[in-house]
């Protein structure tokens, strides 16, 4: 019985030692994991700081290049110059006598500082007859969307924005997001104004600035209030 008792004590002692070894190993692993976690946090912090600095630098470059504001250019030559300087460009082809152009003006002036990754400009069709013809612009107002010096899409009148004058700025923002000319964070599948009218989608492929044909209807059917839209 004494032998059995000694064996039991020896076994208990071994179990205690084994438990201690396991506990020490666990403590060592926990300590190592804690240290690794701290390192990971520091690496993520440094990476995030670098990204923020790069984004701030990019933003400063965009602003220095005219991004962040909505402004008018005076001729066709400037249109091409602005397209060369900016990867993303939205140009509003307008006419002073067209009321709906002023509606676009209001929304674009709001969106320009909100999306500095894109340049927002306007050009009078009366000052750019050659460009207007070559871009096949037949309805005023029209937004010409350019990416990397290629025409990506057109927004012709308000058909893509619910077919009404009181569309929201967010509706136009959504439509520009569909054209991938701005960094849109919302749901591209559902227009924010929840209109039943079709969004229009994207035009087929990027064509060169000169010689790009519009692939959407100039005027939507059933638009009774069309007196403020100029047909060319």
């Amino acid at each position: 019985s004494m032998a059995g008792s000694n064996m039991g004590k020896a076994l208990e002692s071994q179990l205690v030692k084994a438990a201690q070894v396991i506990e020490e190993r666990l403590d060592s692993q926990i300590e190592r994991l804690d240290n690794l976690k701290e390192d990971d946090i520091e690496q993520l912090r440094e990476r995030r700081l670098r990204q923020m600095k790069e984004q701030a630098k990019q933003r400063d470059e965009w602003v220095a290049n005219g991004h962040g504001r909505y402004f008018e250019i005076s001729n066709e030559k400037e249109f091409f110059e602005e397209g060369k300087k900016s990867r993303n460009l939205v140009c509003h082809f307008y006419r002073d006598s067209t009321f709906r152009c002023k509606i676009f003006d209001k929304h674009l002036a709001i969106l320009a500082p909100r999306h500095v990754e894109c340049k927002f400009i306007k050009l009078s069709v009366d000052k750019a007859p050659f460009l207007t013809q070559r871009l096949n612009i037949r309805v005023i107002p029209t937004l010409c969307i350019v990416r990397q010096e290629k025409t990506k899409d057109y927004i012709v009148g308000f058909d893509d924005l619910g077919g009404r004058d009181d569309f929201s700025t967010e509706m136009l923002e959504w439509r520009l997001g569909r054209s991938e000319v701005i960094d849109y964070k919302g749901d591209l599948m559902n227009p924010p104004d929840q209109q039943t009218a079709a969004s229009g989608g994207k035009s087929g492929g990027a064509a060169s600035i000169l010689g790009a044909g519009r692939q959407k209807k100039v005027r939507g059917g059933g638009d009774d209030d069309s007196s403020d839209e100029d047909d060319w």
Side-chain angles (χ1 to χ4, degrees):
S1 106
M2 186 175 290
S5 176
N6 289 336
M7 287 181 62
K9 289 180 179 179
L11 179 60
E12 183 180 352
S13 176
Q14 289 178 356
L15 289 174
V16 170
K17 288 182 179 179
Q20 289 176 342
V21 170
I22 293 173
E23 185 177 356
E24 289 175 357
R25 287 179 179 175
L26 286 173
D27 288 342
S28 177
Q29 290 178 358
I30 290 172
E31 183 179 359
R32 188 168 66 252
L33 287 173
D34 285 342
N35 292 335
L36 181 61
K37 185 177 181 180
E38 291 176 2
D39 291 342
D40 285 344
I41 292 174
E42 184 62 25
Q43 290 178 5
L44 289 172
R45 178 176 175 275
E46 292 178 357
R47 186 183 307 168
R48 179 57 180 160
L49 284 174
R50 287 197 302 269
Q51 290 176 344
M52 290 175 66
K53 289 180 181 178
E54 291 173 358
Q55 289 173 355
K57 181 181 178 181
Q58 178 66 81
R59 182 184 180 89
D60 290 343
E61 291 176 355
W62 280 330
V63 171
N65 188 26
H67 292 231
R69 61 189 180 93
Y70 175 53
F71 62 97
E72 182 168 5
I73 59 175
S74 58
N75 55 52
E76 297 160 339
K77 180 181 178 182
E78 288 186 37
F79 173 83
F80 292 101
E81 291 174 350
E82 297 297 345
K84 290 178 180 178
K85 291 188 294 184
S86 298
R87 177 185 177 89
N88 299 314
L89 177 72
V90 173
C91 184
H92 173 202
F93 285 86
Y94 82 100
R95 172 178 276 167
D96 283 329
S97 60
T98 304
F99 169 74
R100 288 194 172 100
C101 291
K102 296 174 177 62
I103 297 176
F104 263 147
D105 284 340
K106 177 187 71 173
H107 294 298
L108 294 172
I110 295 172
L111 290 175
R114 187 183 297 181
H115 291 281
V116 294
E117 71 276 9
C118 180
K119 180 178 288 184
F120 292 84
I121 61 176
K122 61 186 294 188
L123 176 60
S124 170
V125 293
D126 295 323
K127 296 180 180 179
F130 168 78
L131 183 61
T132 301
Q133 181 181 11
R134 293 303 299 269
L135 292 178
N136 197 26
I137 294 173
R138 298 182 179 180
V139 169
I140 302 300
T142 287
L143 300 186
C144 177
I145 297 165
V146 181
R147 296 190 64 206
Q148 294 181 297
E149 301 184 62
K150 307 288 185 180
T151 53
K152 174 74 175 180
D153 201 355
Y154 293 91
I155 300 177
V156 182
F158 297 166
D159 284 351
D160 291 358
L161 305 168
R164 51 192 297 174
D165 290 356
D166 61 347
F167 64 88
S168 68
T169 301
E170 288 70 27
M171 188 69 176
L172 178 56
E173 184 179 32
W174 168 82
R175 180 60 181 83
L176 293 173
R178 296 269 295 180
S179 297
E180 301 177 345
V181 74
I182 62 172
D183 295 333
Y184 185 72
K185 306 302 183 183
D187 182 3
L188 287 172
M189 299 304 296
N190 296 303
D193 285 4
Q194 297 298 315
Q195 300 297 326
T196 57
S199 67
K202 305 172 186 175
S203 63
S208 95
I209 288 180
L210 292 180
R214 178 153 52 257
Q215 298 188 9
K216 53 174 84 260
K217 292 190 299 182
V218 169
R219 189 191 302 279
D223 183 7
D224 295 330
D225 183 19
S226 60
S227 61
D228 286 320
E229 268 186 352
D230 289 338
D231 239 348
W232 278 67

